[in-house]
Amino acid sequence: MTHGNLQAFDPTRDLLLERQFDAPPEVVWRACTEPDRVKQWIAPAPWVTVECEIDLRPGGMFRFLMKSPDGSEESANLTCYLEVVKEQTLVWTNALAPGYRPVGSIEHVPLITAIFSFEPSGTGTKYVARVVHKDEHDRKQHEEMGFYEGWGTCLDQLVAVTKTM
Amino acid sequence: MQPLDSRPATPEHLDATFAALADPTRRAILTRLAEGSATVMELAAPFPLSQPTISKHLKVLERAGLISRGRDAQRRPCILNATRLVVAEHWLSQQRTLWETRINQLESYLNSLKEQPL
């Protein structure tokens, strides 16, 4: 895996999901990179994906349009591939339009980068998805880690406390 | 700079909340304020940081709508505003649900392929 330059996972802003699939990496890869196959699963039911366009290369377009069951609402998603390593790594972001053109912002939609890895695992695939939210430039380095150990727990506790307020 | 108001979560609100949370000092400040309001001096006490540095952190938290500064000019106690934090945590768990749903659906689709392999 080519993820040496990834920042440490931040549970307050990032998602990390893993799944073991029975299908081998080449099958999972096709399900994730062929438009007619992507349309089968990417819209959370009962929404459906009515359009999907893929130009599978760094800088290429990954676009999908989802609609509500009665067709009155839709969600248009335009993203740019950053990394494409066949049957291994797939990365795209909505912070850039195809051709790496910065978007600045998207109305009602947070900017994310989605990072997927496909690893052979027995006869199947270990599928790992990371979704990262944008950072600010003035983020500081963690210096006195001893003091801040368990901040994740603090945050959980903090939210639990706020729910009782 | 005016703090963001508390209307339903916009991307800007979420961005500001997550940026505010992205720093360990600010997270520690929020943890302390969850126990009750405190003055700038009380908040600065546990850290090897100058008061102006702590004040900069408090400004970030205030602009993100995560804390309010009391009106008492002498003491200006800081108070936690839980709403914004709960909104950010809610957004994150909504995102998690969305992606888990997608992966569940991917798994169902892959299982359906077993009947007729690619």
Side-chain angles (χ1 to χ4, degrees), chain A residues 97-122:
Chain A
Y100 304 113
R101 188 174 297 279
V103 301
S105 69
I106 307 171
E107 205 185 356
H108 305 310
V109 177
L111 299 180
I112 60 162
T113 298
I115 302 160
F116 305 94
S117 66
F118 307 73
E119 276 178 57
S121 171

Side-chain angles (χ1 to χ4, degrees), chain B residues 21-79:
Chain B
L21 290 173
D23 179 276
T25 303
R26 292 197 286 267
R27 288 196 292 273
I29 289 171
L30 291 176
T31 305
R32 166 60 185 82
L33 289 175
E35 295 165 14
S37 67
T39 62
V40 179
M41 274 183 58
E42 286 165 346
L43 290 173
F47 302 101
L49 300 167
S50 68
Q51 208 157 303
T53 303
I54 294 292
S55 291
K56 274 203 291 193
H57 284 303
L58 293 177
K59 281 204 177 72
V60 173
L61 290 172
E62 198 176 4
R63 275 203 306 268
L66 289 170
I67 67 171
S68 342
R69 309 284 287 271
R71 287 283 157 246
D72 183 337
Q74 286 278 38
R75 302 182 69 244
R76 296 214 73 199
C78 304
I79 303 156

Side-chain angles (χ1 to χ4, degrees), chain A residues 30-45 47-54 62-66, chain B residues 105-106 109:
Chain A
R30 287 187 62 183
C32 294
T33 56
E34 294 178 10
D36 286 344
R37 302 190 187 280
V38 170
K39 279 161 122 175
Q40 304 299 315
W41 56 267
I42 203 163
W47 282 51
V48 292
T49 307
V50 295
E51 288 174 30
C52 178
E53 208 178 321
I54 289 179
F62 173 37
R63 181 182 72 83
F64 58 101
L65 177 67
M66 304 187 290
Chain B
Q105 291 175 171
L106 173 56
Y109 172 64

Side-chain angles (χ1 to χ4, degrees), chain A residues 149-165, chain B residues 30-31 34-35 80 85 89:
Chain A
E149 237 167 34
W151 61 262
T153 313
C154 283
L155 196 60
D156 289 344
Q157 290 169 349
L158 174 60
V159 176
V161 165
T162 61
K163 283 178 173 160
T164 69
M165 288 164 67
Chain B
L30 291 176
T31 305
E35 295 165 14
L80 180 68
L85 203 59
E89 196 242 10

Side-chain angles (χ1 to χ4, degrees), chain A residues 5-27:
Chain A
N5 58 349
L6 284 182
Q7 287 186 333
F9 174 68
D10 179 353
T12 65
R13 293 175 303 144
D14 305 339
L15 302 175
L16 177 66
L17 302 114
E18 289 186 21
R19 190 69 62 92
Q20 177 73 27
F21 294 132
D22 291 340
E26 54 268 25
V27 172

